[in-house]
């Protein structure tokens, strides 16, 4: 041992492990939001680092919009199994059927409909805390988020009434019905996430790497052509998300930089085949990762509005 | 954004100044000139310029993120920004200067290695300058920079710069706090001496702001002198299939101070029982030694009854252990602090109940003089209090250790965080009752 000094990734790691252990110690029924995306992949490794050799003391929770990339779902299920964790999945489709979520007329994206599904799952399993992979560098409204983000009984975030967060002393106290969202990666940047994936040799879904895919142009972005609708007895889940006649389909070499679902994820034209390639590409990138997210472009305050309503 | 193979240090800093001192503009400028801004962020900036700015790009819009803030033209909460250069990575806490938001500055400053205090060259030292310097000192921030901003509006006058520097140097000794102090003449709006050296200040021979941030020595900012390990979580695998781990009993936590080695003798507080470190366990393998602020899992030679809230320490440099505490406190809530009030107190991994036994003084931020025995401490007030806790705390003075010397107060019922406390040094070190090693 030559130096008692941590580099930036080691610092971010020890901070995140400390946060995760606080959750395990302070909450009765925490859950970990795991989508299979790159940020939540880092969360899983941090959970292993925080809790091994014990089991990870919380189930994984995922909210499906019904528009997911199939590659992502396969990866999510396999990783949960490999880690011996319980995976709970709740879907927008079920919530619409049960009448707890109501699609706005004409709106294709189910991004906002994830909110009632998440809140429903929190109520169903009486979760008092949900760990998420959100980062402050993603978006302006996220930059003001706490590690321990208090939500009232309606799941709402009130940016003007946040608990001050001082030193590493996280106030985890709740009254019944209230809950907490906790973000161990708060201080991580997109580059930190990929450097960590490289350092830890973490597997990521193959859609992060370049591949051939049919895409169409909409709203200034290349959107993926959804899988064929095969069951005519059911309504097309991707209705509205398919290319229109005036939106010609093109086969491109693309990848995703950030994953929402197929309807709101812009594919970027790119030729990267390894994590090293991705790091090089991000280092040279001239737009932020959320530049390819249709859901954030709606208005200047799109994220702020969704977070106030209970979005993660 | 640059990327590098060699280890990169992380520096955390916060910016403070009063309204219109140009904090947000400064951070926007740092992001912009260090090429940490992306095209879509610039586009969004241009879009909002068309709407609100009469066509001129406003760098402050980069950090004033919430709609409520843009409408009112103020920053209402701590925002965190991330800057990377080939030399270092930075976490920036943008803390507002409004007098009613001092609690946010305390929040942003609590984890900072360095504070940048903005001073408007036209106004010079104002109450806010003294307040922010005081808070930076109170929170034990080792490094401070006074960025004298809007130098363009005083015709880049060296005399004005020196006048302001002298006024600050006049009151700094009273604070007796910083490892190093820098004064830098800048224009955040035009970018002078922020990232690039200014042609307007030939009389200034020092570094640009970014230069200084990239090179200031921070390696010794953590306390490595006395081993402190608040037990966060007891790690007992519930996994009988792996026989080797059947009896595993680890104590997980983050070192709050010092270093620890395998074979080292340790003591557990408050019990006073002693044992020896058998293993330092991590997911990546066992370590021979660990240091603050690493997160590890300790395995002891003896099976002691240890739970969250206990503290494992070395046998030298003992901490204090007491239910009667003296502390400086920054008050953060509309309901004032008064003698006799009861709160939850969180310190390290322990939460206890605390009653305010006395409010000894309130600091006047103008002249740093103490007012003795005030009736109460209102929001944003800073004072010295005595507390009586339901269980003893194991602690150090805040000046010795920022992690074992700090606590928060939580209001019972609402669960709001209402106070940030910094403990004064213990009057005596702990005198454990048990001197024998555990059997």
């Amino acid at each position: 041992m030559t130096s008692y000094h941590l580099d930036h990734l080691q610092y971010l790691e020890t901070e995140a492990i400390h946060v995760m252990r606080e959750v395990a110690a302070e909450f009765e029924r925490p859950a970990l939001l795991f989508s299979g995306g790159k940020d939540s992949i880092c969360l899983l490794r941090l959970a292993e680092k925080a809790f091994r050799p014990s089991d990870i003391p919380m189930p994984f929770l995922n909210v499906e919009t019904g528009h997911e990339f199939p590659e992502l779902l396969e990866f999510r299920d396999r990783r949960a199994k490999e880690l011996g964790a319980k995976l709970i999945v709740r879907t927008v489709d079920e919530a619409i059927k049960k009448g707890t979520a109501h699609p706005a007329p004409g709106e294709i994206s189910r991004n906002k409909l994830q909110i009632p599904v998440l809140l429903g799952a929190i109520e169903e399993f009486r979760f008092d805390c949900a760990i998420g992979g959100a980062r402050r560098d993603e978006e302006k409204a996220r930059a003001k988020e706490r590690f321990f983000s208090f939500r009232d009984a309606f799941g709402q975030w009130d940016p003007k009434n946040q608990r001050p967060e001082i030193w590493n002393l996280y106030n985890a106290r709740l009254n019944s019905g209230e809950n907490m969202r906790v973000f161990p990666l708060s201080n991580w940047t997109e580059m930190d996430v990929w450097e960590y994936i490289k350092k830890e040799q973490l597997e990521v879904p193959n859609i992060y790497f370049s591949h051939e895919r049919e895409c169409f142009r909409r709203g200034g972005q290349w959107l993926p052509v959804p899988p064929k609708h095969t069951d005519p007895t059911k309504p097309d889940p991707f209705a509205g998300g398919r290319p229109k006649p005036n939106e010609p389909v093109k086969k491109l070499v693309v990848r995703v930089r950030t994953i929402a679902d197929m309807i709101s994820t812009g594919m970027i034209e790119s030729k990267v085949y390894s994590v090293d390639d991705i790091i090089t590409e991000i280092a040279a990138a001239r737009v932020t990762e959320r530049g390819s997210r249709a859901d954030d472009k709606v208005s200047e305050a799109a994220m702020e509005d969704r977070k106030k309503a209970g979005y993660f | 954004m640059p990327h590098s193979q060699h280890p990169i240090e992380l520096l955390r800093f916060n910016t403070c100044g009063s309204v219109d001192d140009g904090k947000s503009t400064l951070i926007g400028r740092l992001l912009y000139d260090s090429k940490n801004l992306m095209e879509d962020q610039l586009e969004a900036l241009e879009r909002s310029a068309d709407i609100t700015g009469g066509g001129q790009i406003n760098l402050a819009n980069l950090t004033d993120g919430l709609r409520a803030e843009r409408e009112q033209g103020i920053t209402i909460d701590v925002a965190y920004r991330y800057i990377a250069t080939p030399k270092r990575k930075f976490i920036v806490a943008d803390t507002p200067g409004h007098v009613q938001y001092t609690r946010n500055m305390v929040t942003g400053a609590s984890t900072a290695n360095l504070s940048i205090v903005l001073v408007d060259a036209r106004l010079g030292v104002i109450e806010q300058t003294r307040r922010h310097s005081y808070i930076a000192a109170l929170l034990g921030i080792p490094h401070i920079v006074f960025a004298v901003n809007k130098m363009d509006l005083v015709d880049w006058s060296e005399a004005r710069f020196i006048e302001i520097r002298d006024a600050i140097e006049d009151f700094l000794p009273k604070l007796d706090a910083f490892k190093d102090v820098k004064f830098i003449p800048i224009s955040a709006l035009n970018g002078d001496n922020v990232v690039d050296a200014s042609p307007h200040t030939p009389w200034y021979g020092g570094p640009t702001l970014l230069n200084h941030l990239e090179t200031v020595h921070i390696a010794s900012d953590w306390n490595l002198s006395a081993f402190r390990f608040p037990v966060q979580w007891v790690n007992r695998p519930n996994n009988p299939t792996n026989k080797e781990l059947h009896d595993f009993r680890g104590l997980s936590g983050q070192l709050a101070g010092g270093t620890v080695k395998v074979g080292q003798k340790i003591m557990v507080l408050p019990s006073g029982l002693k044992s020896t470190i058998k293993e330092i366990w991590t997911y990546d393998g066992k370590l021979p030694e660990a240091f603050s602020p690493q997160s590890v899992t300790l395995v002891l030679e003896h099976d002691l009854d240890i739970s969250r809230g206990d503290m494992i320490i070395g046998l030298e440099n003992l901490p204090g252990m007491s239910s009667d505490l003296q502390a400086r406190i920054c008050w953060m809530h509309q309901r004032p602090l008064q003698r006799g009030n009861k709160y939850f107190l969180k310190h390290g991994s322990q939460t206890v109940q605390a009653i305010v036994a006395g409010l000894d003084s309130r600091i006047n931020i103008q002249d740093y003089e103490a007012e003795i025995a005030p009736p109460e401490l209102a929001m944003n007030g800073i004072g010295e209090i005595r507390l009586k806790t339901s269980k003893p705390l194991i602690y150090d003075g805040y000046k010795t250790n920022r992690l074992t010397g700090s606590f928060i107060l939580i209001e019972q019922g609402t669960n709001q965080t209402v106070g940030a406390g910094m403990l004064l040094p213990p009057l005596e070190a702990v005198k454990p009752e048990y001197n024998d090693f555990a059997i």
Side-chain angles (χ1 to χ4, degrees), chain B residues 48 79 92 113 179 254 341 365:
Chain B
S48 65
V92 190
N113 310 78
K179 272 190 198 165
Q254 184 175 32
N341 286 5
I365 220 81

Side-chain angles (χ1 to χ4, degrees), chain B residues 13-27 30 75 77-79 92-99 101-110 112 114-120 124 126-137 139 141 143-149 168 178 186 209:
Chain B
F13 69 90
N14 73 322
T15 55
C16 29
S18 51
V19 188
D20 296 332
D21 271 353
K23 287 176 310 297
S24 297
T25 308
L26 176 66
I27 293 177
L30 272 172
T75 312
D77 207 316
V78 190
V92 190
D94 182 12
T95 47
H98 276 247
V99 65
Y101 289 118
T102 291
R103 67 174 208 167
N104 292 329
M105 172 170 171
V106 170
T107 303
S110 68
L114 180 146
S115 269
I116 298 175
V117 176
L118 275 134
V119 184
D120 187 322
I126 57 172
E127 185 194 337
Q128 292 289 325
T129 317
R130 302 172 70 90
R131 171 175 283 265
H132 294 140
S133 310
Y134 183 83
I135 294 173
L139 283 153
I141 294 177
H143 317 276
I144 192 163
V145 176
F146 292 92
V148 182
N149 192 22
I168 291 168
F178 307 107
I186 66 165
L209 181 60

Side-chain angles (χ1 to χ4, degrees), chain A residues 191-208:
Chain A
M191 181 61 101
D192 297 328
V193 165
W194 283 109
E195 286 180 341
Y196 195 68
I197 286 169
K198 177 184 165 169
K199 181 181 168 194
E200 295 292 322
Q201 302 178 357
L202 300 175
E203 187 191 345
V204 297
N206 51 22
I207 49 177
Y208 281 111

